[in-house]
Amino acid sequence: PARARALCARSLSTSLVFVAGEEGRLLVRLAARNTDGAARRQGGCGGGGPSIRMYSPALEAALRDVVPSTDPLDAPDFNPISHINKLFPNEESLGRADTFSAELQDQMTVLDEEILQTVRQQTSAGSSARKDLEGGKAAMRELFDKVRDIKAKAERSQTMVHEICRDIKSLDYAKRHLTLTITALKRLQMLVTATEQLSVMTRERMYAEAANLLHAVTQLLAHFEGYAGIRKIDELRAQVGELSDTLRAQVFDDFNRLSAQEGAPQPSQTETLLGACAVVDALGPAARREMVAWFSSWQFAPYKHAFQPYGDAGSLDKTELRYGWHRQLLRQFDETFVTLFPHAWHVGLSLTLDFCSITNKHLEEILDQARGSLDVAVLTHALQKTVEFEKEMHNRFSAEARDREGGEGGEGEGGG
């Protein structure tokens, strides 16, 4: 039996293990075992010697998942001695040992051929893979060169775009400054022309045309506020100031001539004075207030003389006459001067306010003089007439007073 087992062991001296990779490549390893030496080391073929483990347990498990097999030769714990004892359990079974050995030899021949083909295929595949790898590397180098060229072109394009944007920005600044310069020159030309025409209209006392020109010149000068120190602008500004002063003096001179004459102004004089009021409007709120104050002073000069506290009509019992005098003044104003002054000036309201102020001072002085000797009936009558006059003036001027307050809110100190 020992001789038979040794014969079988030499027949099974070669074990083959096949491993299939993910890409279908077949890895074949040929493991030769000297069964005679193993038998001598293990003390013969009997006794079920130790199994031969070629790979780690983890790799054996992976191989079973990839290439499942029921062949006992592929078992991770394959033991050739146990396997031979299983094949030839008794002496009678040794009769077919030569046949089994021949079958194994045929299988080994087939396996050798398959291994040889696989090695050849792997060699061809390796050469092709190297060529493909070299081609891939060359393509990558070409792609890298193209990317580098594109990057360089992009950087040059970006630089060019920045330069173009810088040039466009400079041109935009130049265009803006050129536009401002052209506009300023046009306005300067208009200012020069308007100033020359204003000088002519001032000399000819053509107030309506002068008022329109003065409005235009004032608006044009407002655009040159930031050009102080330029000789031409300063000269024009000074010339316009002189013309404004001249117009103001002429207008007040014409109104002074009106106060020196008796009766209503003539139609031609009215037309001139209407233009003069337009000039006063163009001169600004200060000139307008000065004109209204001058007109009020002219109108109340007789009143101050007639009703002064020490005069014949300056007593408390003549208070009703004061209010009658102002009513007559308002009627005369409505008949003669209401069309002369612009409605926005509220001249009638200004006259009434001035009358109230003057009368208040007169009555205070009268009451102060009559302290201790006042007649209650006279005082009551004066008070009653005063209340009636206040109600009458309130009914007439309340709406106009609200308009005037709104105008003063819109113009500030320069309100109408």
Side-chain angles (χ1 to χ4, degrees):
R3 183 173 178 273
R5 285 196 297 271
L7 177 62
C8 294
R10 282 194 299 270
S11 300
L12 294 176
S13 60
T14 303
S15 61
L16 299 173
V17 178
F18 297 90
V19 178
E22 293 181 355
E23 299 179 358
R25 293 190 300 270
L26 185 62
L27 175 63
V28 181
R29 293 194 59 178
L30 181 61
R33 296 290 184 268
N34 189 344
T35 53
D36 289 338
R40 286 193 298 269
R41 288 192 300 270
Q42 298 296 334
C45 291
S51 62
I52 299 175
R53 182 177 297 274
M54 298 180 64
Y55 304 105
S56 64
L59 182 56
E60 293 289 353
L63 290 175
R64 286 196 300 273
D65 293 337
V66 176
V67 187
S69 176
T70 58
D71 192 343
L73 295 177
D74 294 331
D77 55 350
F78 173 72
N79 191 323
I81 297 175
S82 299
H83 183 64
I84 292 173
N85 290 333
K86 184 177 179 181
L87 290 176
F88 305 102
N90 48 46
E91 189 173 352
E92 286 78 9
S93 61
L94 293 177
R96 55 186 181 88
D98 294 333
T99 304
F100 184 73
S101 178
E103 291 176 358
L104 288 179
Q105 189 64 38
D106 293 338
Q107 291 181 9
M108 290 176 63
T109 303
V110 173
L111 290 176
D112 289 338
E113 292 294 331
E114 292 180 356
I115 291 172
L116 182 60
Q117 293 179 4
T118 302
V119 170
R120 289 175 179 174
Q121 293 176 358
Q122 183 64 27
T123 303
S124 300
S127 177
S128 177
R130 281 193 298 273
K131 291 181 180 179
D132 295 340
L133 181 60
E134 293 296 330
K137 290 181 179 180
M140 289 180 64
R141 285 193 296 269
E142 183 180 358
L143 179 61
F144 178 76
D145 293 338
K146 290 182 178 179
V147 171
R148 185 172 55 190
D149 293 340
I150 293 173
K151 183 178 179 181
K153 291 180 180 179
E155 291 176 353
R156 290 195 296 270
S157 300
Q158 186 177 7
T159 303
M160 186 180 301
V161 168
H162 285 317
E163 293 176 355
I164 293 174
C165 291
R166 184 172 61 251
D167 295 340
I168 292 175
K169 193 173 183 180
S170 300
L171 292 174
D172 184 61
Y173 285 152
K175 178 184 176 182
R176 188 181 310 171
H177 293 161
L178 183 60
T179 303
L180 292 176
T181 301
I182 294 174
T183 303
L185 289 175
K186 288 182 178 179
R187 287 173 177 170
L188 180 59
Q189 182 181 6
M190 295 169 60
L191 179 60
V192 171
T193 304
T195 303
E196 293 175 353
Q197 294 177 355
L198 178 62
S199 177
V200 175
M201 299 305 165
T202 302
R203 186 170 57 253
E204 299 296 331
R205 289 180 180 267
M206 300 176 67
Y207 293 139
E209 293 79 2
N212 293 331
L213 289 171
L214 191 58
H215 276 297
V217 168
T218 302
Q219 293 177 359
L220 288 171
L221 282 176
H223 293 291
F224 292 96
E225 291 294 334
Y227 294 86
I230 299 178
R231 183 175 57 83
K232 184 62 177 179
I233 302 298
D234 293 341
E235 290 176 357
L236 289 172
R237 197 184 305 276
Q239 185 178 358
V240 171
E242 293 175 359
L243 292 173
S244 298
D245 293 340
T246 302
L247 281 172
R248 178 186 172 281
Q250 290 177 352
V251 166
F252 278 90
D253 183 62
D254 289 341
F255 272 97
N256 282 326
R257 282 200 296 269
L258 175 65
S259 65
Q261 71 183 33
E262 295 182 0
Q266 300 300 321
S268 60
Q269 191 178 15
T270 301
E271 184 178 358
T272 301
L273 293 177
L274 284 173
C277 289
V279 169
V280 172
D281 256 341
L283 288 173
R288 183 167 62 243
R289 287 194 298 269
E290 185 179 358
M291 174 57 69
V292 174
W294 173 88
F295 183 76
S296 178
S297 178
W298 171 36
Q299 295 299 310
F300 285 110
Y303 174 77
K304 292 178 181 179
H305 178 73
F307 291 93
Q308 58 182 337
Y310 301 101
D312 294 337
S315 59
L316 187 62
D317 58 345
K318 300 295 188 344
T319 302
E320 185 177 359
L321 296 178
R322 293 173 177 271
Y323 303 141
W325 187 93
H326 185 66
R327 293 187 184 97
Q328 179 62 31
L329 174 64
L330 291 178
R331 283 193 295 270
Q332 182 182 356
F333 174 78
D334 292 340
E335 294 172 359
T336 306
F337 300 107
V338 70
T339 58
L340 184 63
F341 297 103
H343 177 73
W345 289 17
H346 306 294
V347 177
L349 175 61
S350 298
L351 291 174
T352 301
L353 293 175
D354 289 344
F355 170 78
C356 293
S357 178
I358 296 170
T359 303
N360 179 57
K361 293 179 180 179
H362 285 179
L363 292 179
E364 283 182 352
E365 189 172 351
I366 292 171
L367 291 174
D368 187 63
Q369 292 175 0
R371 184 179 302 172
S373 60
L374 287 174
D375 187 344
V376 176
V378 174
L379 180 61
T380 303
H381 179 73
L383 183 60
Q384 180 182 359
K385 294 301 179 180
T386 301
V387 172
E388 292 176 357
F389 176 77
E390 288 179 349
K391 290 181 179 179
E392 180 184 351
M393 295 299 105
H394 175 75
N395 292 333
R396 176 171 178 173
F397 295 110
S398 59
E400 192 171 344
R402 288 192 295 270
D403 293 343
R404 178 176 176 176
E405 291 176 356
E408 289 178 349
E411 296 184 10
E413 294 182 358

